[in-house]
Amino acid sequence: MWKTILRRILIMIPQILILSIIVFALGAMMPGDALTGLMDPTIDAAQVAAMRESLGLNKPWHIRYFDWIGNILHGDLGRSWHHRQPVMNIIGQRIMPTVQLSLLTVILSYLLALPLGLLSGRYNNSFFDKAVNLYTFITYAIPSFVLGLFMIWAFGYTLHWFPTTGTVAPGMSPGTLDYALSRLHHIILPAITMALLSTTSTIQYLRTGVIDAKSEDYVRTARAKGVPESVIYRKHIFRNSILPIAAFFGFTITGLLGGSVFTETVFTYPGMGLLFVESINLRDFSVMLAITLLYGLMTLLGSLLSDIIMVFVDPRIRIK
């Protein structure tokens, strides 16, 4: 098992390199550069050209790529043109809000999806099952930014239950209980928005698994022995039906981290997603490339995490 994990990690290295080349080349083909729109139009064009030359922006993209990848190998992700500080510092400031948002989203998502999927499969073709299917169709079809705008209008501006921007109310002192409660209050609405959209696949996988498992021989045998129906669903049907969900658990977490781009933008939530959008608009290539590589690495790690989880959930699977 450990040999396989190490081998998978080593395979990630060329995958990340290929991803970095593609992203860097696409970024280099974008119109303008990091100085576009940031310079005073009254500055002499010769001075601007000299600045571009000193920053290395006039070099061919492949030469700039090797310079950039060489710095990464030395632990330097570059420096943000817009924020005027190292990229590592900026990501360090933004990553925790996104991690907190994603963790709360995962908790809310499974608290909602697991009982809905189990009950929908247990009572399939009932009114409840049809209502759950309608819910999954709607959440599958609706774009995240549309639902986000609706949630802001309904629970932010109309009912005034939740704040609609930021992560904490102004004037709060870090480390206090009021500060923690304010952060939780700010994170609930975007987390609910993401959770509603991320339950679709979990509900459908679990519902299908429960329906299929109800007709298995081991279930009929358990019923013939007089095992209570609640025990059959809890210990037998649910355990076998959850295997597809466990297989995609790693992808679910990394998908939420990457999918937070739209939600954070709509809610102006200062996390990695909003930082990524800002870096594209500002042509802040160092930040954009670092976040893209981070998302790619998390996707690969999510795949590995799913395989490891399956080993513990299903004893028949062994990684050698």
Coordinates of all heavy atoms in Angstrom, one line a residue, residues 137-170:
F137 N -32.9 17.5 -9.5 CA -32.9 18.0 -10.8 C -32.7 19.5 -10.8 O -32.0 20.1 -11.7 CB -34.2 17.7 -11.5 CG -34.4 16.2 -11.8 CD1 -35.7 15.7 -11.8 CD2 -33.3 15.4 -12.0 CE1 -35.9 14.3 -12.1 CE2 -33.5 14.1 -12.3 CZ -34.7 13.5 -12.3
I138 N -33.3 20.2 -9.9 CA -33.2 21.7 -9.8 C -31.8 22.1 -9.4 O -31.2 22.9 -10.1 CB -34.2 22.2 -8.8 CG1 -35.6 22.0 -9.3 CG2 -33.9 23.7 -8.6 CD1 -36.7 22.5 -8.3
T139 N -31.2 21.4 -8.4 CA -29.8 21.8 -7.9 C -28.8 21.4 -9.0 O -27.7 22.0 -9.0 CB -29.5 21.1 -6.6 OG1 -29.7 19.7 -6.7 CG2 -30.4 21.7 -5.5
Y140 N -29.1 20.4 -9.8 CA -28.1 20.0 -10.8 C -28.1 21.0 -12.0 O -27.1 21.3 -12.6 CB -28.5 18.6 -11.4 CG -27.5 18.1 -12.4 CD1 -26.3 17.6 -12.1 CD2 -27.9 18.1 -13.8 CE1 -25.4 17.1 -13.0 CE2 -27.0 17.7 -14.7 CZ -25.8 17.2 -14.4 OH -24.9 16.8 -15.3
A141 N -29.3 21.6 -12.2 CA -29.4 22.5 -13.4 C -29.1 23.9 -13.1 O -28.6 24.7 -14.0 CB -30.9 22.4 -13.9
I142 N -29.3 24.4 -11.8 CA -29.1 25.8 -11.5 C -27.7 26.1 -11.4 O -26.9 25.4 -10.7 CB -29.9 26.1 -10.2 CG1 -29.9 27.7 -10.0 CG2 -29.3 25.4 -9.0 CD1 -30.8 28.1 -8.9
P143 N -27.2 27.2 -12.0 CA -25.8 27.6 -11.9 C -25.5 28.1 -10.5 O -26.4 28.7 -9.8 CB -25.6 28.7 -12.9 CG -26.8 28.5 -13.9 CD -27.9 28.0 -13.1
S144 N -24.3 28.0 -10.0 CA -24.0 28.4 -8.6 C -24.1 29.9 -8.4 O -24.6 30.3 -7.4 CB -22.5 27.9 -8.3 OG -21.6 28.5 -9.2
F145 N -23.8 30.7 -9.4 CA -23.9 32.1 -9.2 C -25.3 32.6 -9.2 O -25.7 33.6 -8.5 CB -23.1 32.9 -10.3 CG -23.7 32.7 -11.7 CD1 -24.6 33.6 -12.2 CD2 -23.2 31.7 -12.5 CE1 -25.1 33.5 -13.5 CE2 -23.7 31.6 -13.8 CZ -24.7 32.4 -14.3
V146 N -26.2 31.9 -9.9 CA -27.7 32.2 -9.8 C -28.2 31.9 -8.4 O -28.9 32.7 -7.9 CB -28.4 31.4 -10.9 CG1 -29.9 31.7 -10.8 CG2 -28.0 31.9 -12.3
L147 N -27.9 30.7 -7.9 CA -28.4 30.4 -6.6 C -27.7 31.3 -5.5 O -28.4 31.7 -4.6 CB -28.0 28.9 -6.2 CG -28.4 28.4 -4.9 CD1 -30.0 28.5 -4.7 CD2 -28.0 27.0 -4.6
G148 N -26.5 31.7 -5.7 CA -25.8 32.6 -4.8 C -26.5 34.0 -4.8 O -26.8 34.5 -3.7
L149 N -26.8 34.5 -5.9 CA -27.5 35.8 -6.0 C -28.9 35.7 -5.4 O -29.4 36.6 -4.7 CB -27.7 36.2 -7.4 CG -26.4 36.6 -8.1 CD1 -26.6 36.9 -9.6 CD2 -25.7 37.8 -7.5
F150 N -29.6 34.6 -5.6 CA -30.9 34.4 -4.9 C -30.8 34.3 -3.4 O -31.6 34.9 -2.7 CB -31.6 33.1 -5.5 CG -32.8 32.7 -4.7 CD1 -34.0 33.4 -5.0 CD2 -32.8 31.7 -3.8 CE1 -35.2 33.1 -4.3 CE2 -34.0 31.4 -3.1 CZ -35.2 32.1 -3.3
M151 N -29.8 33.6 -2.9 CA -29.6 33.5 -1.5 C -29.3 34.8 -0.9 O -29.7 35.2 0.2 CB -28.5 32.5 -1.2 CG -28.8 31.1 -1.7 SD -30.1 30.2 -0.7 CE -29.1 29.7 0.7
I152 N -28.5 35.6 -1.6 CA -28.1 37.0 -1.1 C -29.4 37.8 -1.0 O -29.6 38.5 0.0 CB -27.1 37.6 -2.0 CG1 -25.7 36.9 -1.8 CG2 -26.9 39.1 -1.7 CD1 -24.7 37.4 -2.8
W153 N -30.2 37.8 -2.1 CA -31.4 38.6 -2.1 C -32.4 38.1 -1.0 O -33.0 38.9 -0.3 CB -32.1 38.4 -3.5 CG -33.5 39.0 -3.5 CD1 -33.8 40.3 -3.6 CD2 -34.7 38.3 -3.4 NE1 -35.2 40.5 -3.6 CE2 -35.8 39.3 -3.5 CE3 -35.0 37.0 -3.3 CZ2 -37.1 38.9 -3.4 CZ3 -36.4 36.6 -3.3 CH2 -37.4 37.5 -3.3
A154 N -32.6 36.8 -0.9 CA -33.6 36.3 0.0 C -33.2 36.4 1.5 O -33.9 36.9 2.3 CB -33.9 34.8 -0.3
F155 N -32.0 35.9 1.8 CA -31.6 35.8 3.2 C -30.7 37.0 3.7 O -30.5 37.2 4.9 CB -30.9 34.5 3.5 CG -31.7 33.3 3.2 CD1 -31.6 32.6 2.1 CD2 -32.7 32.9 4.2 CE1 -32.4 31.5 1.8 CE2 -33.5 31.8 3.9 CZ -33.3 31.1 2.8
G156 N -30.2 37.8 2.7 CA -29.4 38.9 3.1 C -30.1 40.2 3.1 O -30.2 40.9 4.1
Y157 N -30.7 40.5 1.9 CA -31.4 41.8 1.8 C -32.8 41.8 2.2 O -33.4 42.8 2.7 CB -31.3 42.3 0.3 CG -29.9 42.7 -0.1 CD1 -29.2 41.9 -1.0 CD2 -29.2 43.8 0.4 CE1 -27.9 42.2 -1.4 CE2 -27.9 44.1 0.1 CZ -27.3 43.3 -0.8 OH -26.0 43.6 -1.2
T158 N -33.5 40.7 2.0 CA -35.0 40.6 2.3 C -35.2 40.3 3.8 O -35.9 41.0 4.5 CB -35.7 39.6 1.4 OG1 -35.5 40.0 0.1 CG2 -37.2 39.6 1.7
L159 N -34.6 39.1 4.3 CA -34.8 38.7 5.6 C -33.8 39.2 6.6 O -34.0 39.2 7.8 CB -34.8 37.2 5.7 CG -35.9 36.5 4.9 CD1 -35.8 35.0 4.9 CD2 -37.3 36.9 5.4
H160 N -32.7 39.7 6.1 CA -31.6 40.2 6.9 C -31.1 39.2 8.0 O -30.7 39.6 9.1 CB -32.0 41.5 7.6 CG -32.5 42.6 6.7 ND1 -31.6 43.3 5.9 CD2 -33.7 43.0 6.4 CE1 -32.3 44.2 5.2 NE2 -33.6 44.0 5.4
W161 N -31.0 37.9 7.6 CA -30.6 36.9 8.5 C -29.0 36.8 8.5 O -28.5 36.5 9.5 CB -31.2 35.6 8.1 CG -32.6 35.4 8.5 CD1 -33.4 36.4 9.1 CD2 -33.5 34.3 8.2 NE1 -34.7 35.9 9.2 CE2 -34.8 34.7 8.7 CE3 -33.3 33.1 7.7 CZ2 -35.9 33.8 8.6 CZ3 -34.4 32.2 7.6 CH2 -35.6 32.6 8.0
F162 N -28.4 37.0 7.4 CA -27.0 36.8 7.2 C -26.3 37.9 6.5 O -27.0 38.6 5.7 CB -26.7 35.5 6.4 CG -27.3 34.2 7.1 CD1 -28.4 33.7 6.6 CD2 -26.7 33.6 8.2 CE1 -29.0 32.5 7.1 CE2 -27.2 32.5 8.7 CZ -28.3 31.9 8.2
P163 N -25.1 38.2 6.8 CA -24.3 39.2 6.0 C -24.0 38.6 4.6 O -24.0 37.4 4.4 CB -23.0 39.4 6.8 CG -22.9 38.1 7.6 CD -24.3 37.7 7.9
T164 N -23.8 39.5 3.7 CA -23.7 39.1 2.3 C -22.2 39.2 1.7 O -22.0 38.8 0.6 CB -24.6 39.9 1.4 OG1 -24.3 41.3 1.5 CG2 -26.1 39.6 1.8
T165 N -21.3 39.8 2.5 CA -20.0 40.0 2.0 C -19.0 39.8 3.2 O -19.4 39.9 4.4 CB -19.7 41.4 1.4 OG1 -20.0 42.4 2.4 CG2 -20.6 41.6 0.2
G166 N -17.7 39.6 2.9 CA -16.7 39.5 3.9 C -16.7 38.2 4.7 O -17.5 37.3 4.5
T167 N -15.8 38.2 5.7 CA -15.7 37.0 6.6 C -15.9 37.4 8.1 O -16.1 36.5 8.9 CB -14.3 36.4 6.5 OG1 -13.3 37.4 6.8 CG2 -14.0 35.9 5.1
V168 N -15.9 38.7 8.4 CA -16.1 39.1 9.8 C -16.5 40.5 9.8 O -16.2 41.3 8.9 CB -14.7 38.9 10.6 CG1 -13.7 39.9 10.1 CG2 -15.0 39.1 12.1
A169 N -17.3 40.8 10.8 CA -17.8 42.2 10.9 C -16.7 43.2 11.3 O -15.7 42.8 12.0 CB -18.9 42.3 12.0
P170 N -16.8 44.4 10.9 CA -15.7 45.4 11.2 C -15.6 45.6 12.7 O -16.6 45.6 13.4 CB -16.2 46.7 10.5 CG -17.1 46.2 9.4 CD -17.8 45.0 10.0

